[in-house]
Amino acid sequence: MTLTTDFTTVAELDSALLRLSAGERRWADLPLTRRADLLQQVAHQAAEQASDWVEAACRAKRISPSSPLAGEEWLSGPYPVITNAATLARSLRDLSSGDSPIAHVPTSVAPGGRVALDVFPHQIWDRLLLSGVSAKVWLKPGVSVTQARSAAGLAQLDPATTHGMSVVLGAGNITSIAVLDTLYELIAHNRVVILKLNPVLGEMFDAINAVLRPLSERGFVEVVRGGVEVGSYLVDHPNVAHVHITGSSASHDAIVFGTGPEGEARRRAGVPKLGKTITSELGGVSPTVVVPTGWSAKDIRFQAEHLATQRLHNGGYNCIAAQVAVIPSEWSKKGEFLRELRDQIDKAPARPAYYPGSDQRVAAAADRHATANARENGRLLIEGLSPDQVAEAFTVEYFSPVLAVVEIPGDGIAYLRAASRFVNERLEGTLGANVLVHPRYRRKLGREFEWFVESLRYGTIAINAWTGVGYLTAAAPWGGFPGATLVDVESGIGLVHNASLVDDTERTVVTGPFRPLSRSLITGQLSITPKPAWFVRNTHAHHVGRKMVAFAADPKATRLPSLFASALRG
C-alpha cells in the first residue's frame, strides 16, 4: 500500500507504530515515580511553549495574539495541560508511596445519599485563581468512600500490565483536548498512544510535539498529522487496540459501524464493524436553565453576558457551548432579559468563522426556524420556542454561533420539574448543563432544588458557572452521563481528565458565584473576581490568561498582585 497524505506516508505511520510497540515494553518497566517525573516535564514543557502555543492557536483561528480573544487560548490551551499533568504526577507519587490519590480529598453527601468528592478548590491558590468556584464529583449510587479510595488509580494500580496501543483522534476546536486525551489514555488506561491531530489545528503540530516530547522521545507517544485517510488507516490497523475520539456522534458511528446505508443497517442491528474498543467525547445540545426569581436589573445584565459567553466562547465551536436557553414563559422581566441577551450577543467581539461549515450551519438553522433572528457578526438567536414543538435546534448540535430560547410555563418547583423533563427528554446529548439561580432562592427551594440537580442526566452540571469551568478543573472527570452504548452513544462513552484517577464517577457539579466582586457578599457568597476571564467581553482576558499560565507553572505569591491588577481591569 502506498497511500500518501498531505503530511504523513504509510511508511511513516508504520514506523511510528513500531516505535510505540517497543515503547510499550519500556513503559511497563517504568516505575511510578519516573512516570510522575515525565508528567512533570510535560507540565514544564507546556509552560515553556505557552507563548508559541497561543500564537499558533491564534493563527489557526485567525485572531490576533494581542487581542483579548487570545485569553481564551491561554486558558483553554496551556493552562489545563499544566494543571492536569501536574495533578496526574501527584496521583502517581501518592500511589508509589502506598496512598490513594484521594486519601485526603474531603467528602460530603450528595443527593440520593451519594458520596461526593470535594475536588476543587484543592489549595489556597485555587481559591484565588478561580475565586468562588467549587467542584464536587458525585460517585455512582452505592459506592462508598472506602471503595472509591481503594479503586483510585485505575490502570496505575497495576502499572506493569499495559493494554496495548491507542489511537487518539484529536479535536479541531480547543487546543488542549488532544494533549489531555493523550495523557489520560497513557495513565488511566496504561496504553501507549499515537495522536492524530485534527487538520483544523494543523498549526498546533510543532507546539504539541514539543509539549509531549518528554514522552515521545522515549517511545510512549507519537504525534502525526493528516486527514480522514490517516485516521482510518490507524483505526483499522491490527496493532492498534483502542480508539479514542473527540468529535461528533456521526464521526463515532462512521468509525464503529461504517458509512452509508450499510453502516446505518449495522448500527440498527447493533453489529459493529470496528473490532476493537472505543471511548469518546461527543458533545451535544447543551442547555442553560434560567431560574430568575429574585434577579435585579444588574443580575439580568450580568447573567445575559454569562449566557452569551456560554454560546460564543471560541466563536461557538465548543462541544459544551450552550445551545438552548430555558426560561419561564410567564417571567415578568422576560422582555428585559431577552433585550439584554440580544445586546450582549451583538456586542461580543467579532471574529472569523474559522471552523469549517460554520456559515452553512447558521444559514440552515435560520431556514428551519421561523422565529430565527439574525444578529451582528453572523450570529443567530432563535426566540419563542415552546418545549413541545419539533425544532431542529433541540436535536442538532450546530457547532456555530446559534442560540435558541425555549419558554416553559410555570414557576417554582413546577417550572424546575418541567425544565428537567424537557432537557432530559428532548435535547440531544448528556455532556453538560448550566443552571443560573439566585443563591437565596436556591436556599429557599432547599431539597427541591437538590432534587432538580440530581434529576439532570448530564456529566457536568454548572450552577452559576459555565460547564467549561469544569473542563479547567484538573481533578474533575469530563464526559457524558453514564449509560451510553455504541448504538445510542449520546455524548460519548468513558471519561477523560480525571487526574485523581477516580473510578465509578457519575457526574461533576461545579458551583460559581452568582454575582461578581462588589455585589457577591449580598448573596452570601464571596467572589474576588469582577468579571471572569473567560467572559467574551473581558477586555483584559489575554493579560489575565497569560498570567494565570505563568502562575500555574510557578505558583509564587509575588505573581499575584500583577494578576489581580489585570483581572480588575477586565
Side-chain angles (χ1 to χ4, degrees):
M1 187 176 185
T2 58
L3 166 71
T4 301
T5 74
D6 290 339
F7 302 111
T8 313
T9 66
V10 165
E12 289 170 333
L13 293 175
D14 288 343
S15 295
L17 295 173
L18 282 174
R19 289 192 295 271
L20 285 174
S21 293
E24 182 183 2
R25 295 189 291 273
R26 292 193 298 275
W27 180 254
D29 295 334
L30 200 67
L32 289 175
T33 53
R34 184 67 185 118
R35 297 182 186 191
D37 291 342
L38 291 176
L39 288 167
Q40 205 65 57
Q41 291 175 31
V42 169
H44 175 76
Q45 283 293 103
E48 287 287 308
Q49 296 294 321
S51 292
D52 289 345
W53 179 322
V54 170
E55 287 183 7
C58 289
R59 287 196 301 272
K61 300 179 182 184
R62 305 200 298 278
I63 59 177
S64 169
S66 61
S67 160
L69 290 173
E72 297 176 355
E73 302 312 319
W74 286 99
L75 287 177
S76 65
Y79 180 81
V81 171
I82 292 168
T83 57
N84 184 270
T87 307
L88 283 170
R90 185 167 60 241
S91 294
L92 294 190
R93 290 195 177 99
D94 287 340
L95 290 169
S96 179
S97 63
D99 288 338
S100 168
I102 57 170
H104 306 294
V105 172
T107 63
S108 54
V109 179
R114 296 168 175 82
V115 171
L117 304 176
D118 300 343
V119 298
F120 191 90
H122 183 73
Q123 51 192 341
I124 184 63
W125 308 126
D126 297 336
R127 299 179 189 276
L128 294 173
L129 292 183
L130 293 177
S131 176
V133 174
S134 63
K136 295 177 180 287
V137 175
W138 293 13
L139 303 181
K140 292 177 180 177
V143 178
S144 69
V145 174
T146 300
Q147 289 171 322
R149 287 176 176 161
S150 64
L154 301 178
Q156 296 304 310
L157 292 170
D158 183 14
T161 301
T162 55
H163 299 283
M165 190 185 307
S166 175
V167 56
V168 169
L169 302 176
N173 57 338
I174 297 296
T175 59
S176 60
I177 290 176
V179 178
L180 295 174
D181 292 353
T182 295
L183 296 181
Y184 199 70
E185 281 294 303
L186 183 66
I187 303 301
H189 299 294
N190 226 22
R191 301 180 183 118
V192 293
V193 177
I194 185 162
L195 165 63
K196 189 198 80 69
L197 296 182
N198 191 298
V200 176
L201 294 181
E203 293 278 358
M204 296 302 304
F205 182 77
D206 290 341
I208 287 177
N209 243 330
V211 169
L212 291 173
R213 188 169 295 126
L215 301 169
S216 62
E217 66 186 7
R218 292 163 177 84
F220 307 143
V221 168
E222 292 280 342
V223 184
V224 299
R225 291 185 284 187
V228 173
E229 288 180 317
V230 171
S232 298
Y233 183 77
L234 294 173
V235 165
D236 294 335
H237 199 284
N239 290 357
V240 170
H242 180 81
V243 178
H244 178 81
I245 178 176
T246 296
S248 67
S249 57
S251 297
H252 168 274
D253 289 350
I255 291 170
V256 174
F257 299 106
T259 58
E262 291 183 359
E264 178 57 25
R266 279 191 289 266
R267 193 189 70 81
R268 288 197 302 268
V271 180
K273 176 184 177 183
L274 184 70
K276 55 196 70 175
T277 57
I278 184 170
T279 50
S280 50
E281 190 265 80
L282 305 175
V285 176
S286 293
T288 295
V289 179
V290 175
V291 189
T293 301
W295 287 22
S296 68
K298 289 182 178 179
D299 294 333
I300 288 174
R301 186 176 305 115
F302 180 78
Q303 296 301 344
E305 183 177 0
H306 194 178
L307 178 55
T309 289
Q310 292 173 8
R311 174 68 265 182
L312 298 178
H313 180 279
N314 195 38
Y317 312 119
N318 286 331
C319 56
I320 202 62
Q323 183 166 304
V324 174
V326 178
I327 65 173
S329 56
E330 290 94 6
W331 181 19
S332 62
K333 298 180 180 179
K334 178 178 66 177
E336 181 182 350
F337 176 75
L338 290 175
R339 283 192 298 274
E340 283 288 352
L341 182 59
R342 295 181 205 115
D343 190 52
Q344 293 295 338
I345 290 173
D346 290 346
K347 288 180 178 177
R351 59 189 304 162
Y354 78 88
Y355 208 89
S358 175
D359 291 339
Q360 292 85 348
R361 290 190 294 274
V362 172
D367 287 343
R368 288 163 189 160
H369 299 88
T371 57
N373 180 357
R375 308 305 307 174
E376 298 290 331
N377 301 312
R379 294 149 190 169
L380 190 71
L381 183 63
I382 305 167
E383 299 183 40
L385 298 179
S386 65
D388 55 352
Q389 74 182 86
V390 176
E392 187 184 76
F394 300 165
T395 57
V396 174
E397 180 187 11
Y398 285 122
F399 215 68
S400 58
V402 176
L403 177 64
V405 180
V406 175
E407 300 181 15
I408 291 183
D411 58 13
I413 191 59
Y415 168 68
L416 291 181
R417 290 183 182 275
S420 174
R421 285 194 300 272
F422 170 72
V423 301
N424 283 333
E425 297 171 9
R426 298 297 311 282
L427 301 186
E428 186 72 22
T430 64
L431 187 61
N434 312 285
V435 183
L436 305 177
V437 58
H438 195 295
R440 284 206 200 101
Y441 188 57
R442 175 181 177 176
R443 289 192 292 270
K444 181 179 178 180
L445 288 169
R447 296 185 68 177
E448 295 286 7
F449 186 82
E450 299 309 309
W451 166 87
F452 170 66
V453 175
E454 181 186 13
S455 74
L456 298 175
R457 297 196 297 269
Y458 289 86
T460 299
I461 299 167
I463 302 169
N464 295 332
W466 176 38
T467 45
V469 180
Y471 179 96
L472 297 180
T473 309
W478 184 256
F481 195 75
T485 65
L486 288 179
V487 173
D488 184 13
V489 74
E490 297 183 323
S491 287
I493 297 170
L495 299 170
V496 289
H497 303 190
N498 188 25
S500 293
L501 303 174
V502 183
D503 200 9
D504 288 324
T505 65
E506 182 184 64
R507 71 185 88 183
T508 298
V509 178
V510 177
T511 302
F514 178 70
R515 289 173 172 165
L517 190 58
S518 59
R519 298 189 298 119
S520 64
L521 283 176
I522 302 172
T523 64
Q525 296 177 310
L526 173 62
S527 171
I528 61 173
T529 303
K531 181 182 288 187
W534 52 87
F535 270 37
V536 291
R537 293 187 61 202
N538 188 311
T539 58
H540 277 67
H542 51 320
H543 300 305
V544 177
R546 177 172 52 81
K547 292 173 182 179
M548 284 184 67
V549 167
F551 187 88
D554 185 20
K556 292 179 180 177
T558 54
R559 295 184 183 274
L560 292 174
S562 175
L563 195 162
F564 290 148
S566 292
L568 288 168
R569 298 188 192 105

